[in-house]
């Protein structure tokens, strides 16, 4: 492998919380300028008239050091005057919007209404907050993740936040995906000959990664990529660290195991980084084990380095 490729860009397909941990680790393991995050926008929705992009915002907050790490979403040191005032007026309060967070949504909404593209707006936010990494929305078009459940068809945030992932899921849909175009830079990043590795973050495969793969052209680009494609398993000892990944797998009739993760990404991967707590099984795929629980910044860097090491090994 050439030294140039070793120093090349790393592209990450990511959702919010789990993915942002790996992206932050990569930004410390490498010069942040070499990291490109392609982010799920299937969770995006309009709330109280405001355009909210939960996964992109988690990335922006995490990479700029503003995230509330304990909570897993939103900003550190957030204040809630807006929500308190909203409640006194009988406004919808099931989705929490902190005062600082609100500023991001207001500026985004105002610029989208003026006809600007989401990718342009996010690039400007990233510059304003001094991010070295590139944060690319998977598309500038509207793709909406929806869940077919025992309570009927639910929009993503309705399922995830208002109903706390309680309804049983039968299927996941990505409305609008078939006519969506990849965001500017997305295909070029994946097919860049100087790309060192393409990583699928330990994000929810069904709710965070599948919407990205549903954008026409993304799967094909991954198939043509010069760089190895690797995933980091979101399961540790057969369980999700947080969120509905394991519950969803169960409801979709899939065994909650790393084997199912490997099968889910079948045909896409050159390698899989598996947690040491998951039994060694035949994955039919190059894989390596590491402690993938990312509690501290040191953990995030360790997992990023383990993923890069596996990528370099696969590439040789
Ligand atoms: P969301 O978009 O905010 O729901 O977050 P993601 O989809 O990016 O991440 C959710 C997934 O991250 C879940 O399946 C978790 O199991 C996984 N996850 C969270 N933290 C960790 C971690 O420290 N290590 C690993 N391996 N997976 C994690």
């Amino acid at each position: 492998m050439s030294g140039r490729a070793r120093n090349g860009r790393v592209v990450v397909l990511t959702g919010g919380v789990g993915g942002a941990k790996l992206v932050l680790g990569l930004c410390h393991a490498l010069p942040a300028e070499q990291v490109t995050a392609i982010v799920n926008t299937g969770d995006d929705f309009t709330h109280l008239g405001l355009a909210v992009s939960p996964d992109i915002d988690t990335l922006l907050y995490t990479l700029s050091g503003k995230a509330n790490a304990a909570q897993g979403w939103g900003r550190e040191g957030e204040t809630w005057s807006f929500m308190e005032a909203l409640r006194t007026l009988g406004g919808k309060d099931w989705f929490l919007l902190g005062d600082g967070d609100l500023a991001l949504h207001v500026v985004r909404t105002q610029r989208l209404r003026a006809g600007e593209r989401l990718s342009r707006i996010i690039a400007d936010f990233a510059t304003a907050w001094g991010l070295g990494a590139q944060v690319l929305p998977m598309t500038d078009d509207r793709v909406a993740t929806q869940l077919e459940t025992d309570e009927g068809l639910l929009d993503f945030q309705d399922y995830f936040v208002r109903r706390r992932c309680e309804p049983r899921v039968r299927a996941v849909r990505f409305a609008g995906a078939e006519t969506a175009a990849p965001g500017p830079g997305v295909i070029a990043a994946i097919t860049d000959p100087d790309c060192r590795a393409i990583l699928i973050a330990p994000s929810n495969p069904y709710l965070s990664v599948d919407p990205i793969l549903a954008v026409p052209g993304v799967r094909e680009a991954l198939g043509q990529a010069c760089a190895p494609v690797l995933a980091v398993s979101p399961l540790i000892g057969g369980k999700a660290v947080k969120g509905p990944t394991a519950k969803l797998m169960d409801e979709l009739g899939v065994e909650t195991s790393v084997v199912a993760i490997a099968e889910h990404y079948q045909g896409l991967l050159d390698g899989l980084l598996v947690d040491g707590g998951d039994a060694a099984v035949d994955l039919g795929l190059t894989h390596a084990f590491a402690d993938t629980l990312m509690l501290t910044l040191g953990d995030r860097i360790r997992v990023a380095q383990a993923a890069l090491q596996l990528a370099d090994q696969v590439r040789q």
Side-chain angles (χ1 to χ4, degrees), residues 7-29:
N7 293 324
R9 287 202 147 273
V10 174
V11 173
V12 195
L13 273 51
T14 178
V17 178
K21 292 181 183 177
L22 179 69
V23 179
L24 183 64
L26 285 164
C27 288
H28 284 267

mmCIF file of all heavy atoms in Angstrom, residues 7-29:
data_model
loop_
_atom_site.group_PDB
_atom_site.id
_atom_site.type_symbol
_atom_site.label_atom_id
_atom_site.label_comp_id
_atom_site.label_asym_id
_atom_site.label_seq_id
_atom_site.Cartn_x
_atom_site.Cartn_y
_atom_site.Cartn_z
ATOM 1 N N ASN A 7 -2.064 7.959 4.416
ATOM 2 C CA ASN A 7 -2.344 9.278 4.967
ATOM 3 C C ASN A 7 -3.618 9.871 4.378
ATOM 4 O O ASN A 7 -3.927 11.023 4.589
ATOM 5 C CB ASN A 7 -1.171 10.222 4.670
ATOM 6 C CG ASN A 7 0.052 9.779 5.431
ATOM 7 O OD1 ASN A 7 -0.087 9.317 6.549
ATOM 8 N ND2 ASN A 7 1.207 9.881 4.813
ATOM 9 N N GLY A 8 -4.327 9.042 3.604
ATOM 10 C CA GLY A 8 -5.487 9.581 2.892
ATOM 11 C C GLY A 8 -6.683 9.824 3.792
ATOM 12 O O GLY A 8 -6.636 9.620 5.007
ATOM 13 N N ARG A 9 -7.747 10.246 3.151
ATOM 14 C CA ARG A 9 -8.994 10.565 3.855
ATOM 15 C C ARG A 9 -9.666 9.327 4.415
ATOM 16 O O ARG A 9 -9.536 8.244 3.855
ATOM 17 C CB ARG A 9 -9.991 11.155 2.860
ATOM 18 C CG ARG A 9 -9.691 12.513 2.438
ATOM 19 C CD ARG A 9 -10.927 13.223 1.911
ATOM 20 N NE ARG A 9 -10.792 14.604 2.263
ATOM 21 C CZ ARG A 9 -11.176 15.158 3.399
ATOM 22 N NH1 ARG A 9 -11.802 14.458 4.300
ATOM 23 N NH2 ARG A 9 -10.957 16.415 3.654
ATOM 24 N N VAL A 10 -10.403 9.519 5.458
ATOM 25 C CA VAL A 10 -11.243 8.454 5.997
ATOM 26 C C VAL A 10 -12.680 8.952 5.940
ATOM 27 O O VAL A 10 -12.976 10.077 6.368
ATOM 28 C CB VAL A 10 -10.816 8.091 7.430
ATOM 29 C CG1 VAL A 10 -11.780 7.098 8.046
ATOM 30 C CG2 VAL A 10 -9.408 7.514 7.414
ATOM 31 N N VAL A 11 -13.534 8.141 5.351
ATOM 32 C CA VAL A 11 -14.943 8.506 5.186
ATOM 33 C C VAL A 11 -15.759 7.641 6.147
ATOM 34 O O VAL A 11 -15.516 6.438 6.247
ATOM 35 C CB VAL A 11 -15.369 8.256 3.718
ATOM 36 C CG1 VAL A 11 -16.866 8.449 3.539
ATOM 37 C CG2 VAL A 11 -14.586 9.180 2.787
ATOM 38 N N VAL A 12 -16.688 8.254 6.843
ATOM 39 C CA VAL A 12 -17.522 7.504 7.794
ATOM 40 C C VAL A 12 -18.991 7.715 7.469
ATOM 41 O O VAL A 12 -19.437 8.850 7.325
ATOM 42 C CB VAL A 12 -17.300 7.981 9.250
ATOM 43 C CG1 VAL A 12 -17.884 6.971 10.231
ATOM 44 C CG2 VAL A 12 -15.848 8.224 9.550
ATOM 45 N N LEU A 13 -19.721 6.616 7.346
ATOM 46 C CA LEU A 13 -21.176 6.691 7.212
ATOM 47 C C LEU A 13 -21.733 6.617 8.625
ATOM 48 O O LEU A 13 -21.461 5.645 9.345
ATOM 49 C CB LEU A 13 -21.702 5.506 6.381
ATOM 50 C CG LEU A 13 -21.750 5.654 4.856
ATOM 51 C CD1 LEU A 13 -20.430 6.122 4.298
ATOM 52 C CD2 LEU A 13 -22.181 4.351 4.205
ATOM 53 N N THR A 14 -22.507 7.604 9.021
ATOM 54 C CA THR A 14 -22.850 7.678 10.442
ATOM 55 C C THR A 14 -24.249 8.214 10.728
ATOM 56 O O THR A 14 -24.783 9.010 9.969
ATOM 57 C CB THR A 14 -21.802 8.566 11.174
ATOM 58 O OG1 THR A 14 -22.153 8.682 12.553
ATOM 59 C CG2 THR A 14 -21.710 9.959 10.595
ATOM 60 N N GLY A 15 -24.772 7.747 11.884
ATOM 61 C CA GLY A 15 -25.975 8.333 12.458
ATOM 62 C C GLY A 15 -25.547 9.334 13.516
ATOM 63 O O GLY A 15 -24.524 10.019 13.342
ATOM 64 N N GLY A 16 -26.276 9.374 14.631
ATOM 65 C CA GLY A 16 -26.002 10.384 15.652
ATOM 66 C C GLY A 16 -25.041 9.922 16.728
ATOM 67 O O GLY A 16 -23.819 9.867 16.507
ATOM 68 N N VAL A 17 -25.592 9.505 17.848
ATOM 69 C CA VAL A 17 -24.790 9.340 19.063
ATOM 70 C C VAL A 17 -23.662 8.307 18.942
ATOM 71 O O VAL A 17 -22.496 8.616 19.216
ATOM 72 C CB VAL A 17 -25.722 8.985 20.247
ATOM 73 C CG1 VAL A 17 -24.920 8.761 21.511
ATOM 74 C CG2 VAL A 17 -26.743 10.097 20.449
ATOM 75 N N GLY A 18 -24.002 7.074 18.526
ATOM 76 C CA GLY A 18 -22.981 6.019 18.436
ATOM 77 C C GLY A 18 -21.934 6.370 17.385
ATOM 78 O O GLY A 18 -20.726 6.195 17.605
ATOM 79 N N GLY A 19 -22.391 6.873 16.260
ATOM 80 C CA GLY A 19 -21.491 7.227 15.164
ATOM 81 C C GLY A 19 -20.584 8.386 15.514
ATOM 82 O O GLY A 19 -19.393 8.378 15.196
ATOM 83 N N ALA A 20 -21.145 9.379 16.205
ATOM 84 C CA ALA A 20 -20.364 10.577 16.546
ATOM 85 C C ALA A 20 -19.183 10.225 17.451
ATOM 86 O O ALA A 20 -18.131 10.854 17.383
ATOM 87 C CB ALA A 20 -21.253 11.621 17.204
ATOM 88 N N LYS A 21 -19.354 9.172 18.270
ATOM 89 C CA LYS A 21 -18.241 8.753 19.136
ATOM 90 C C LYS A 21 -17.052 8.327 18.281
ATOM 91 O O LYS A 21 -15.913 8.712 18.546
ATOM 92 C CB LYS A 21 -18.668 7.564 20.010
ATOM 93 C CG LYS A 21 -19.698 7.887 21.060
ATOM 94 C CD LYS A 21 -19.977 6.595 21.854
ATOM 95 C CE LYS A 21 -21.050 6.779 22.884
ATOM 96 N NZ LYS A 21 -21.355 5.515 23.578
ATOM 97 N N LEU A 22 -17.324 7.526 17.259
ATOM 98 C CA LEU A 22 -16.239 7.059 16.394
ATOM 99 C C LEU A 22 -15.642 8.216 15.596
ATOM 100 O O LEU A 22 -14.417 8.305 15.452
ATOM 101 C CB LEU A 22 -16.756 5.974 15.427
ATOM 102 C CG LEU A 22 -15.696 5.451 14.459
ATOM 103 C CD1 LEU A 22 -14.627 4.635 15.192
ATOM 104 C CD2 LEU A 22 -16.311 4.611 13.347
ATOM 105 N N VAL A 23 -16.494 9.085 15.085
ATOM 106 C CA VAL A 23 -15.989 10.211 14.282
ATOM 107 C C VAL A 23 -15.082 11.092 15.142
ATOM 108 O O VAL A 23 -14.018 11.529 14.692
ATOM 109 C CB VAL A 23 -17.149 11.028 13.648
ATOM 110 C CG1 VAL A 23 -16.597 12.205 12.849
ATOM 111 C CG2 VAL A 23 -18.014 10.139 12.746
ATOM 112 N N LEU A 24 -15.474 11.323 16.400
ATOM 113 C CA LEU A 24 -14.624 12.124 17.290
ATOM 114 C C LEU A 24 -13.281 11.415 17.512
ATOM 115 O O LEU A 24 -12.224 12.050 17.479
ATOM 116 C CB LEU A 24 -15.333 12.363 18.637
ATOM 117 C CG LEU A 24 -14.572 13.248 19.620
ATOM 118 C CD1 LEU A 24 -14.414 14.671 19.080
ATOM 119 C CD2 LEU A 24 -15.270 13.285 20.978
ATOM 120 N N GLY A 25 -13.326 10.102 17.701
ATOM 121 C CA GLY A 25 -12.084 9.340 17.872
ATOM 122 C C GLY A 25 -11.184 9.485 16.655
ATOM 123 O O GLY A 25 -9.968 9.683 16.785
ATOM 124 N N LEU A 26 -11.774 9.411 15.475
ATOM 125 C CA LEU A 26 -10.997 9.555 14.234
ATOM 126 C C LEU A 26 -10.368 10.949 14.144
ATOM 127 O O LEU A 26 -9.240 11.093 13.675
ATOM 128 C CB LEU A 26 -11.899 9.328 13.017
ATOM 129 C CG LEU A 26 -12.286 7.873 12.748
ATOM 130 C CD1 LEU A 26 -13.461 7.807 11.782
ATOM 131 C CD2 LEU A 26 -11.090 7.086 12.193
ATOM 132 N N CYS A 27 -11.117 11.959 14.580
ATOM 133 C CA CYS A 27 -10.612 13.336 14.506
ATOM 134 C C CYS A 27 -9.436 13.561 15.452
ATOM 135 O O CYS A 27 -8.707 14.539 15.318
ATOM 136 C CB CYS A 27 -11.730 14.338 14.809
ATOM 137 S SG CYS A 27 -12.922 14.457 13.475
ATOM 138 N N HIS A 28 -9.276 12.670 16.435
ATOM 139 C CA HIS A 28 -8.107 12.749 17.317
ATOM 140 C C HIS A 28 -6.997 11.809 16.852
ATOM 141 O O HIS A 28 -5.824 12.086 17.066
ATOM 142 C CB HIS A 28 -8.507 12.427 18.758
ATOM 143 C CG HIS A 28 -9.233 13.564 19.410
ATOM 144 N ND1 HIS A 28 -8.601 14.524 20.157
ATOM 145 C CD2 HIS A 28 -10.535 13.913 19.380
ATOM 146 C CE1 HIS A 28 -9.482 15.419 20.579
ATOM 147 N NE2 HIS A 28 -10.676 15.067 20.130
ATOM 148 N N ALA A 29 -7.389 10.702 16.211
ATOM 149 C CA ALA A 29 -6.382 9.738 15.743
ATOM 150 C C ALA A 29 -5.687 10.241 14.479
ATOM 151 O O ALA A 29 -4.578 9.824 14.165
ATOM 152 C CB ALA A 29 -7.048 8.388 15.470
#
